[in-house]
Each structure stands twice: as C-alpha cells, then as structure tokens.
C-alpha cells in the first residue's frame, strides 16, 4: 500500500448553506429541518426580498439576520435551498450555480427540464448522480401522493392512477395561511372579508386549484404537474394519471384520495404489508375505530399517513385499490424533502 493510500482522507469541510425565501412558509420550515436533523453546516445564510432585510430568525439558538437577495449573494455558498417562487428561481438559481453552489429548488421552474433531477429520496435518489448544479424538489401534491405508492409500483407496476387532492392553504404560501385564519375569523364574526391572495372566499369553502386551466385538456397546471412529475420521478412515462386538485380550508397538510390500478391483481392485505415498514410512510388504517389519515394528525409529522386501504369494487379484475393519504405540505411536501436531498448530496 502506498503512503498516500494509507493516509486518512481529509474530511470535507462542512458546507455553507443559504436559504432563499427564508421568511416564507417553507423557508422557516427549512431552517427548522436543518436544525432538527443536525444538518452539518459551517454557516447558514438567510435571504428574502428587500421587504424582509434586517429581520432576524433563530437557528441553533442564534438570531440570524435576513439579507436582501442580490446577484452577489452566493459568493462562498456551497448549497442553496430555494423557496421563493419560480420567477426568483429562474433568475437567481443559475447565478448560484455559476458561483459554485448546488441548488435544491422548491419551485416548478426547472422540474421538467431533462437535465434536472426531480427527486424524492425514498423513490429515486439515484437520479442525483451526474446533476448539473440544480436539483428540483417535486410538487408538494405529487410527493405526498406518490411516496406511499412507490413500494407498490416496484412489485406490481401501477398502470393507472386516479386521484383527487384536498390541498391546504400552506401550498399557496404564508399569506394564504393568514387569509384562511383571517377570513374564518371574519366569517364567524359576521364581518365582510375581501380576499386578496386566493381567487375565492376561503372560509367554509373549497374550490378548484388556483392555477391556469389548459383549454386543450381541461386540466389545470397543478393537475398537469402531478401527472408529468409522477411519470418523471417513477421513471415510467407510460403511467396513466388523471388528477383533480382542490384547495380546502386546512392550514398545512394535503390529503389525497387515490385509486390505483396495477398490472396484476393485488389485495388490500398485500398493500398493507408493503406499506407497513416503507420509508417515509406510516399506516393509519383502523376501520373498527373509523380512524384514518387526517390532515390534523399529519401536520407537523415527517411521515405521510396512509390508510382506508380497500379493494376498488368497481374493478372486477381485482387489480385496483383505493386508499387515502395525508402529509404535511410544508415538511415532506417541501422543506423536509429538500433537506433530505441535500443530505444525500
Ligand atoms: P419576503 O418575506 O421578503 O416577501 P411564501 O411562499 O410563504 O409566500 O414565501 C415566499 C418567500 O419568498 C418569502 O421569504 C419572500 O420574502 C421570498 N421572496 C419573494 N419574492 C422574492 C424576491 N424577489 N427575492 C427574494 N425573495 C423573495
């Protein structure tokens, strides 16, 4: 053995990490996830718009000052976690890469680019290999719907998915969460409330997801994202997906009712066995007590709750299963998944 090969390898220095959009609903959860998971970093830098410059946020007991994001913000940054909307990502993520950082982007800006990995670490961590500086964090509804489906897909390919989402306010950001709180208070007190963030009255109501409807297909952008991203993450461009995405008056956990059709017959017991010890998933499936996944229970949890597992009786071939999931949109749907990607990196 040569003297060089027997010498211990020098440990890589802990990275400098930046959060872009640190003051947002996902941004504050990114800070919390880095802290709770003891992410090894030498420095954390927080960025947001000029409106937030000078604010302080706590990290590991220290008050960190939020800075305005500028073109020079990425000097010396090794990992940049972006959650400030697609237009900010489009403009600043390439600058971060040019400055030498690896970007994990929570927006939709780069997700469907062929040279950008779209990653759920429980499903396709291998996609990170050979990345070109930007890694995309998938759509929150897609992550929550498909993480529990992967163990099934691996052993009995899912050919078709029909799903309906019940999406929380957090998916539209901190201002939408505030609109839900404020409009609910106003409703209960009999006051008028002029909605500003979402396109319809939110208290005691629900409505079709607030994205553009494609006149050619009738599907809105959120529904199209779920379809296309499922295909990319599963590496299965043939899987047939039809989604209906609905915004519901829940603060921070998305739920999804899913009917899946496999290649071969499959039973509810097989599905339970596949999901019992699956990573990132927790079975909540107790028909006796009528206890199934609820957004209230999923809020603040890393695991996606899955239950109501039953044979879809409309399929006489026995190849279809119906189930229901709830997952914290801000955690596994966004911040946690991004930090898990950074950990794999
Ligand atoms: P700010 O709080 O200063 O507006 P949310 O998804 O909860 O709405 O949060 C969006 C996040 O993105 C916030 O931290 C927000 O900062 C940040 N942000 C929005 N626009 C920009 C921008 N042009 N440059 C940097 N950060 C931005």
């Amino acid at each position: 053995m040569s003297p060089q090969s027997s010498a211990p390898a020098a440990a890589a220095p802990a990275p400098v990490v930046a959060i872009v959009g640190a003051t947002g609903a996902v941004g504050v959860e990114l800070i919390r996830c880095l802290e709770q998971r003891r992410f090894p970093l030498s420095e954390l830098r927080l960025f947001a718009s000029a409106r937030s410059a000078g604010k302080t946020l706590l990290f590991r007991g220290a008050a960190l000052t939020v800075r305005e994001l500028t073109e020079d913000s990425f000097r010396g940054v090794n990992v940049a976690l972006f959650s400030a909307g697609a237009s900010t990502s489009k403009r600043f993520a390439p600058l971060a890469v040019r400055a030498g950082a690896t970007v994990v982007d929570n927006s939709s800006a780069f997700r469907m680019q062929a040279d950008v990995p779209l990653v759920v670490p429980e499903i396709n961590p291998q996609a990170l290999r050979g990345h070109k500086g930007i890694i995309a964090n998938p759509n929150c509804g897609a992550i929550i719907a498909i993480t529990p489906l992967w163990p099934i897909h691996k052993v009995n390919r899912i050919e078709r998915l029909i799903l309906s989402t019940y999406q929380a306010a957090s998916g539209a950001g901190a201002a939408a969460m505030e609109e839900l709180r404020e409009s609910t208070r106003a409703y209960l007190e009999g006051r008028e409330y002029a909605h500003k963030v979402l396109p319809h009255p939110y208290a005691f109501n629900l409505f079709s997801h607030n994205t553009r409807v494609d006149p050619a297909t009738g599907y809105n952008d959120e529904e199209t994202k779920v379809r296309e991203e499922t295909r990319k993450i599963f590496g299965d461009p043939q899987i047939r997906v039809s989604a209906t995405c609905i915004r519901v008056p829940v603060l921070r956990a998305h739920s999804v009712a899913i009917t899946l059709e496999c290649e071969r017959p499959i039973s509810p017991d097989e599905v339970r066995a596949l999901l019992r010890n699956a990573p990132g998933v927790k079975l909540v499936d107790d028909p006796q007590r009528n206890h199934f996944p609820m957004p209230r229970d999923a809020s603040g949890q890393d695991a996606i709750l899955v239950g109501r597992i039953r044979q879809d009786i409309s399929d006489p071939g026995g190849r279809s299963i119906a189930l229901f999931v709830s997952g914290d949109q801000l955690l596994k749907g966004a911040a946690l998944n991004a930090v898990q990607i950074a950990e794999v990196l």
Side-chain angles (χ1 to χ4, degrees), residues 6 49 53 65 98 125 186 220 237 273:
S6 63
S49 77
T65 304
R98 222 169 293 148
N220 64 41

Side-chain angles (χ1 to χ4, degrees), residues 24-59:
V26 174
V28 297
E29 295 298 335
L30 283 168
I31 299 172
R32 218 170 282 163
C33 283
L34 292 173
E35 177 161 338
Q36 279 173 0
R37 297 173 73 84
R38 298 194 168 82
F39 189 92
L41 54 82
S42 59
E43 187 189 342
L44 180 63
R45 299 183 189 166
L46 305 181
F47 297 100
S49 77
R51 291 180 291 275
S52 301
K55 271 189 189 166
T56 57
L57 293 167
L58 275 184
F59 177 65

Side-chain angles (χ1 to χ4, degrees), residues 8-268:
V16 174
V17 175
I19 297 178
V20 176
T23 51
V26 174
V28 297
E29 295 298 335
L30 283 168
I31 299 172
R32 218 170 282 163
C33 283
L34 292 173
E35 177 161 338
Q36 279 173 0
R37 297 173 73 84
R38 298 194 168 82
F39 189 92
L41 54 82
S42 59
E43 187 189 342
L44 180 63
R45 299 183 189 166
L46 305 181
F47 297 100
S49 77
R51 291 180 291 275
S52 301
K55 271 189 189 166
T56 57
L57 293 167
L58 275 184
F59 177 65
R60 293 180 181 162
L64 302 187
T65 304
V66 178
R67 307 179 220 181
E68 179 187 357
L69 181 68
T70 67
E71 300 197 343
D72 300 324
S73 296
F74 300 102
R75 214 171 292 143
V77 170
N78 305 112
V79 177
L81 307 173
F82 273 66
S83 192
S87 58
T88 302
S89 292
K90 275 187 192 143
R91 180 167 164 219
F92 288 96
L95 297 176
V97 173
R98 222 169 293 148
T102 301
V103 169
V104 181
D105 181 34
N106 201 44
S107 82
S108 60
F110 308 104
R111 287 182 191 146
M112 293 314 296
Q113 280 188 16
D115 59 350
V116 172
L118 183 66
V119 175
V120 178
E122 288 87 346
I123 301 178
N124 62 340
Q126 75 288 351
L128 289 169
R129 252 179 261 136
H131 72 80
K132 304 223 164 45
I134 299 180
I135 293 123
N137 208 36
N139 170 273
C140 47
I143 298 178
I144 289 164
I146 71 174
T147 304
L149 304 185
W150 179 244
I152 304 169
H153 188 72
K154 272 197 298 187
V155 300
N156 188 349
R157 181 176 167 264
I158 296 170
E159 292 184 328
R160 184 177 184 214
L161 276 178
I162 296 177
L163 52 93
S164 299
T165 69
Y166 304 70
Q167 295 184 219
S170 56
M177 295 172 82
E178 195 47 30
E179 180 150 306
L180 176 55
R181 290 194 193 92
E182 274 302 308
S183 62
T184 303
R185 252 178 239 129
Y187 186 99
L188 291 173
E189 290 165 8
R191 286 186 280 115
E192 284 294 313
Y193 181 88
H195 49 91
K196 302 176 269 294
V197 182
L198 291 165
H200 302 289
Y202 201 4
F204 302 96
N205 192 22
L206 53 82
F207 44 85
S208 191
H209 194 274
N210 43 295
T211 41
R212 185 193 64 99
V213 175
D214 176 354
T217 62
Y219 285 84
N220 64 41
D221 286 345
E222 185 81 352
E223 294 161 350
T224 303
K225 282 180 204 169
V226 171
R227 173 169 172 266
E228 291 181 352
E229 294 184 24
T230 298
R231 290 172 160 184
K232 181 165 174 176
I233 297 162
F234 276 9
D236 185 344
Q238 308 303 327
I239 187 168
R240 289 174 285 148
V241 181
S242 175
T244 301
C245 291
I246 302 293
R247 184 79 67 192
V248 299
V250 165
L251 270 176
R252 62 176 285 168
H254 286 357
S255 302
V256 194
I258 303 171
T259 300
L260 57 95
E261 188 181 317
C262 290
E263 227 161 44
R264 289 171 279 107
I266 186 163
S267 72

